[in-house]
Amino acid sequence: MLAGDLYAFQDLLSDEEAATVHRVREFLSAEVSPIANEYWARAEFPSHLIKQFAGLGLAGVERSSLLDGWLALEMGRADASMATFYGVHAGLAMGSIQECGSPEQRERWLSPMASFDRIGAFALTEPTGGSDVAAGLRTTARREGDTWVLNGRKRWIGNATFADLIVVWARDEADDQVKGFVVEKDAPGFTATKIEHKIALRIVQNADIELAGVRVPESDRLQLAGSFKDTARVLRATRAGVAWQAVGLMIAAYEIALRYAGERKQFGRPIAKFQLVQDLLVRMAGNATASLGMCVRLAQLQDAGVYKDEHSALAKAYCTTRMREVVGWARELLAGNGIVLDYDIGRFVADAEALYSYEGTREINSLIVGRAITGHGAFV
């Protein structure tokens, strides 16, 4: 049981699900956590872990939303970058094909992706379009017979420097609707350039993508993606995953701060004996517990098939905001030791900024919820 799971939410998992969580936790503890700071400092991706992720047998497997979320929590607890790698591949890329691909396309692509023989990326965000990408998507697709020609640019595309398959969202010049395409990494006219000098998620290989007359056969157009509403179906599910990742980051920060408070001595006694330190720890535990409770209920709504965009949006906005507070309090508790990588908190503080912003900013997610509860859209 995690020290940060004060209300024992993990007990809601079945014995089989709990065994899966334990197996993944052991893998992350042994293989990911010990090297995270090293690769984060070098801004490099530990490619040798890809096949080990494959060995976990997680991608492409149907399971409860509660277990799916808990696995995202475990990955976020170990390292937000590796959680993002997995989320992009198994969530955004595979999720797009699962939701928007034809049966033939799902058969063709999902099996090699589930075994990590082919890695996926998801290209939606653009240099000039993030929050307004639904209406402002500038990448275009023009049909020429049985071929589509893609032109445009994408930015912040995780995994794109080494992905085999990139799900690209582009606006059809004919009907002005957003459609999805699966682009092979070696397609003529496709280039991916690593984004340098990041201060967050440095292990993630984000890229700028250029599409210059990239030709995609009609057979590689996602057959069930006819508008941005279809894209939004994918994002609704993955936003929930980011909320779970944020909880994992909170729990990790809390656990490190709790352990540190018991070991660090000032004025001749452990700082855990000081009232203000206990106050910080209780605030951290409260944020993590409230956020975890929200995620658990969201998972139940997902499994019941009744969850809506506003449910995922509220969880993403709320949990990442609380996460920001928790990592800040952990850094405060560790004082100077909180700004170095040695204690992990420095990495958590930086990575939290990325989780706070991607998959919809707090402001955009707030407007999604606001529209649902008032009946009025306020996006422009």
Side-chain angles (χ1 to χ4, degrees):
M1 190 66 65
L2 300 178
D5 183 16
L6 271 68
Y7 281 24
F9 283 112
Q10 189 174 331
D11 288 350
L12 296 175
L13 296 168
S14 69
D15 290 344
E16 183 179 355
E17 289 174 331
T20 299
V21 167
H22 183 69
R23 177 167 57 86
V24 171
R25 185 181 297 164
E26 284 192 328
F27 163 75
L28 294 169
S29 178
E31 303 296 338
V32 175
S33 296
I35 65 171
N37 286 330
E38 173 189 352
Y39 279 87
W40 193 95
R42 299 204 308 254
E44 295 178 2
F45 183 82
S47 299
H48 67 279
L49 289 181
I50 291 178
K51 279 302 178 184
Q52 295 186 50
F53 266 93
L56 293 173
L58 300 178
V61 177
E62 287 192 21
R63 51 183 167 256
S64 72
S65 296
L66 180 60
L67 176 55
D68 218 24
W70 205 283
L71 294 174
L73 179 156
E74 294 292 342
M75 292 186 192
R77 177 173 169 266
D79 178 63
S81 290
M82 294 307 295
T84 301
F85 156 74
Y86 181 84
V88 169
H89 171 72
L92 288 168
M94 293 183 67
S96 296
I97 296 169
Q98 180 65 45
E99 284 286 330
C100 302
S102 66
E104 183 277 328
Q105 290 174 328
R106 293 196 291 268
E107 177 69 23
R108 174 158 44 114
W109 286 316
L110 292 180
S111 179
M113 294 177 78
S115 62
F116 287 76
D117 290 322
R118 307 199 79 187
I119 301 300
F122 178 92
L124 175 62
T125 303
E126 299 182 343
T128 58
S131 296
D132 68 343
V133 74
L137 198 72
R138 296 188 179 185
T139 298
T140 61
R142 183 181 71 255
R143 186 163 186 172
E144 295 182 354
D146 290 334
T147 301
W148 292 82
V149 181
L150 306 186
N151 287 284
R153 294 183 298 155
K154 300 291 184 179
R155 183 163 172 80
W156 298 115
I157 311 307
N159 301 352
T161 61
F162 59 89
D164 302 289
L165 304 171
I166 300 89
V167 177
V168 175
W169 300 92
R171 189 174 301 281
D172 186 348
E173 292 182 354
D175 62 10
D176 204 38
Q177 294 297 319
V178 174
K179 293 180 169 63
F181 304 84
V182 176
V183 177
E184 301 274 352
K185 66 177 179 182
D186 56 357
F190 173 88
T191 57
T193 305
K194 179 182 175 181
I195 297 175
E196 303 284 0
H197 313 304
K198 294 190 304 174
I199 66 165
L201 298 182
R202 288 170 54 81
I203 292 174
V204 176
Q205 303 299 290
N206 293 97
D208 285 312
I209 286 178
E210 183 173 354
L211 301 144
V214 175
R215 303 184 72 83
V216 180
E218 164 65 9
S219 60
D220 289 357
R221 178 182 67 83
L222 293 177
Q223 298 297 300
L224 303 183
S227 73
F228 191 80
K229 290 182 179 179
D230 299 309
T231 319
R233 292 205 319 270
V234 179
L235 296 175
R236 179 174 61 183
T238 55
R239 274 187 185 133
V242 177
W244 280 98
Q245 291 173 14
V247 174
L249 205 63
M250 275 189 264
I251 288 177
Y254 166 77
E255 290 173 340
I256 291 169
L258 179 62
R259 183 170 59 250
Y260 185 88
E263 298 170 351
R264 176 70 169 176
K265 292 185 178 180
Q266 293 289 285
F267 303 100
R269 54 180 174 164
I271 63 173
K273 288 190 174 184
F274 292 110
Q275 292 179 353
L276 294 179
V277 169
Q278 290 191 7
D279 178 64
L280 284 178
L281 291 169
V282 171
R283 284 195 240 169
M284 294 163 70
N287 274 7
T289 301
S291 298
L292 182 51
M294 178 180 283
C295 285
V296 166
R297 181 56 183 155
L298 174 59
Q300 293 170 339
L301 294 173
Q302 287 176 288
D303 285 335
V306 296
Y307 85 115
K308 301 176 182 178
D309 287 342
E310 57 265 28
H311 295 142
S312 294
L314 181 60
K316 199 280 175 178
Y318 181 85
C319 295
T320 56
T321 300
R322 302 288 78 78
M323 166 198 65
R324 229 179 174 198
E325 293 174 343
V326 168
V327 297
W329 291 331
R331 199 234 45 90
E332 181 179 341
L333 192 149
L334 267 69
N337 286 330
I339 67 169
V340 294
L341 292 177
D342 308 58
Y343 294 84
D344 294 330
I345 295 300
R347 170 165 53 91
F348 291 168
V349 170
D351 288 347
E353 292 303 301
L355 269 66
Y356 180 71
S357 296
Y358 72 28
E359 292 276 3
T361 62
R362 184 198 63 79
E363 291 81 4
I364 287 297
N365 280 305
S366 294
L367 293 179
I368 292 172
V369 179
R371 180 179 59 192
I373 63 179
T374 67
H376 298 287
F379 288 90
V380 293

